């Protein structure tokens, strides 16, 4: 039996997600990115079908942390995106746990934790602490300032 505060991590293809988990992931993404951040945008963009999905499940079997990993892009790097932590779990270190799990998944599936993120600009220091570096100026994406970042290092932090 799991402890109340423990998180079980799962990385899987879209086809491996059960309907309830997918529903709860989409709800979490919409609750944060569309409602909380007041940013109407096309949340379901068709990219989930080919992505790996990293999900942190709490003791009540609910997704409370999530990101997706898109296959290597033109730059040769997998892209980690839709990084989200449930509001009730923020400030607990769960975001860092999620990213470390994502980097392990990238390493397992693509042979290296090298990856890219299009980060909200205010999270620059968070991603830098994980080994990412900025490679772009700040630009607006759906009305929110973003920066492109890459992780070149082959050592997990």
């Amino acid at each position: 039996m799991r402890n109340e505060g423990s998180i079980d991590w799962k990385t899987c293809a879209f086809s491996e997600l059960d309907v309830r988990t997918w529903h709860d992931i989409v709800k979490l993404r919409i609750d944060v990115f569309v409602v909380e951040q007041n940013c109407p945008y096309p949340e379901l963009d068709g990219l989930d079908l080919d992505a790996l999905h990293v999900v942190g499940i709490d003791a009540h079997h609910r997704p409370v942390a999530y990101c997706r990993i898109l296959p290597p892009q033109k730059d040769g790097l997998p892209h980690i995106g839709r990084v989200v932590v449930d509001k009730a779990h923020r400030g607990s270190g769960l975001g860092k746990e999620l990213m470390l799990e994502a980097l392990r998944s990238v390493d397992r599936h693509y042979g290296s934790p090298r990856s890219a993120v299009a980060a909200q600009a205010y999270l620059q220091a968070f991603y830098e602490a994980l080994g990412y570096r900025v490679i772009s100026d700040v630009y607006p994406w759906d009305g929110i300032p973003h920066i492109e970042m890459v992780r070149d290092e082959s050592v997990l932090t």
Side-chain angles (χ1 to χ4, degrees):
M1 186 178 205
R2 263 190 287 181
N3 293 338
E4 182 67 25
S6 71
I7 301 296
D8 282 343
W9 294 101
K10 174 181 180 177
T11 299
C12 59
F14 181 79
S15 62
E16 297 171 307
L17 290 169
D18 65 81
V19 174
R20 179 59 192 226
T21 300
W22 177 242
H23 168 274
D24 292 348
I25 288 168
V26 171
K27 182 177 182 336
L28 175 62
R29 287 175 15 178
I30 290 172
D31 285 350
V32 174
F33 299 132
V34 177
V35 178
E36 184 180 323
Q37 294 181 354
N38 192 27
C39 182
Y41 74 104
E43 170 54 27
L44 295 178
D45 57 8
L47 299 177
D48 293 306
L49 301 172
D50 295 320
L52 291 172
H53 301 271
V54 180
V55 188
I57 306 290
D58 72 5
H60 303 288
H61 308 289
R62 292 181 308 225
V64 293
Y66 168 86
C67 70
R68 71 180 183 187
I69 303 167
L70 300 178
Q73 306 294 299
K74 291 177 186 174
D75 58 10
L77 298 173
H79 284 237
I80 300 172
R82 299 294 202 268
V83 179
V84 64
V85 173
D86 179 78
K87 192 173 189 172
H89 291 81
R90 291 186 205 146
S92 68
L94 190 55
K96 181 177 180 180
E97 281 184 57
L98 169 61
M99 282 303 297
L100 291 174
E101 186 65 28
L103 290 170
R104 285 188 288 271
S105 294
V106 167
D107 192 28
R108 277 193 308 270
H109 287 87
Y110 299 107
S112 166
R114 293 179 63 244
S115 55
V117 295
Q120 291 186 10
Y122 82 95
L123 292 169
Q124 178 177 338
F126 170 78
Y127 287 106
E128 285 175 336
L130 292 163
Y132 286 89
R133 64 180 172 81
V134 176
I135 61 164
S136 77
D137 292 329
V138 175
Y139 62 92
W141 188 2
D142 294 320
I144 296 174
H146 278 73
I147 48 176
E148 296 293 325
M149 302 183 80
V150 296
R151 189 174 197 277
D152 299 314
E153 295 82 355
S154 60
V155 178
L156 289 175
T157 55

